[in-house]
Amino acid sequence: MPKVGMEPIRRQALISAAIEAIHARGSFEVTMSEIARQAGVSTALAHHYFGSKDQLIVATMRHLLDELNGEIVAALRTARTPRERITGIIRANFGSDQFRPATISAWLTFYVKAQSMGGARRVLSIYARRLRSNLRHALSQLTDKESAKRIAEGTAAMIDGLYLRHALLDSDPDREAAIRLTEDYIDAQLAAGTS
């Protein structure tokens, strides 16, 4: 008979194992058996909790998105100015839990999988809309509406591009360099709009 309260612990272990297994394999071609073994549970139990590998992958994406959203909300709560809000959003996107090799590999795999899996596409669509909306809201307090939209799109593309670049490098990602580069882009765009 299973212990009461073990399900959330095992579900989290499987989600963490999925991230690590995808990173180790370098692709989505990891099996549910490999993920279960990494989590220290049986394959049958993994199927019991998630049904299929695709459902586990979508749950993993949602988990990462929930973590990211929590970091963004915390950053926005402490920001006093629109520019601090933007910095908070950027720092959260390059947070130490998000911008680490295994999580970067997982996000890259999710982007690829979203092309053929509706659940993954929906999760990534939520992420993209939320990122652009948060950026546009803060930027609209610093510049006109059209410029805010354009800068938000460019910033979102830069964040995604930096994830892609670091997924393809053999070195550890430099989160502070990624933050500086993104901040520099925003500062240059805002300065160009005021000159």
Side-chain angles (χ1 to χ4, degrees):
M1 187 165 184
K3 293 180 183 177
V4 176
M6 286 304 292
E7 181 175 351
I9 294 167
R10 287 186 176 141
R11 288 177 71 86
Q12 182 56 50
L14 284 160
I15 286 169
S16 297
I19 293 167
E20 296 301 327
I22 288 168
H23 176 63
R25 179 64 71 106
S27 75
F28 187 69
E29 300 307 315
V30 64
T31 66
M32 193 69 134
S33 173
E34 290 172 290
I35 295 169
R37 187 171 34 258
Q38 175 99 16
V41 302
S42 70
T43 304
L45 194 60
H47 281 287
H48 170 74
Y49 287 140
F50 292 101
S52 69
K53 182 175 79 168
D54 283 354
Q55 289 171 315
L56 172 57
I57 295 306
V58 170
T60 302
M61 291 175 68
R62 281 194 179 115
H63 169 77
L64 289 173
L65 189 56
D66 287 346
E67 280 187 339
L68 175 59
N69 190 49
E71 290 180 35
I72 289 172
V73 167
L76 295 178
R77 197 174 294 131
T78 61
R80 295 180 310 274
T81 67
R83 190 62 182 87
E84 286 179 4
R85 290 175 65 85
I86 294 165
T87 294
I89 294 164
I90 292 167
R91 292 193 80 74
N93 273 275
F94 294 114
S96 56
D97 288 340
Q98 293 289 326
F99 204 58
R100 64 184 186 91
T103 308
I104 292 171
S105 293
W107 275 116
L108 181 62
T109 302
F110 298 154
Y111 269 84
V112 171
K113 194 62 180 167
Q115 295 177 46
S116 62
M117 188 168 67
R121 187 177 304 114
R122 280 188 296 279
V123 172
L124 285 176
S125 176
I126 290 167
Y127 155 74
R129 277 195 316 266
R130 196 177 286 165
L131 175 60
R132 288 191 309 265
S133 174
N134 282 329
L135 288 167
R136 260 195 323 264
H137 175 71
L139 285 161
S140 68
Q141 296 171 47
L142 300 171
T143 189
D144 64 89
K145 186 177 178 178
E146 282 306 308
S147 294
K149 182 178 178 183
R150 179 181 49 76
I151 297 168
E153 288 296 327
T155 304
M158 179 171 259
I159 290 168
D160 289 345
L162 287 165
Y163 266 81
L164 177 61
R165 174 186 285 175
H166 285 286
L168 302 175
L169 295 176
D170 287 334
S171 60
D172 283 340
D174 183 344
R175 67 182 293 269
E176 290 302 324
I179 290 166
R180 278 192 311 275
L181 189 61
T182 309
E183 292 275 8
D184 288 350
Y185 168 78
I186 291 171
D187 289 339
Q189 293 300 309
L190 288 171
T194 59
S195 54

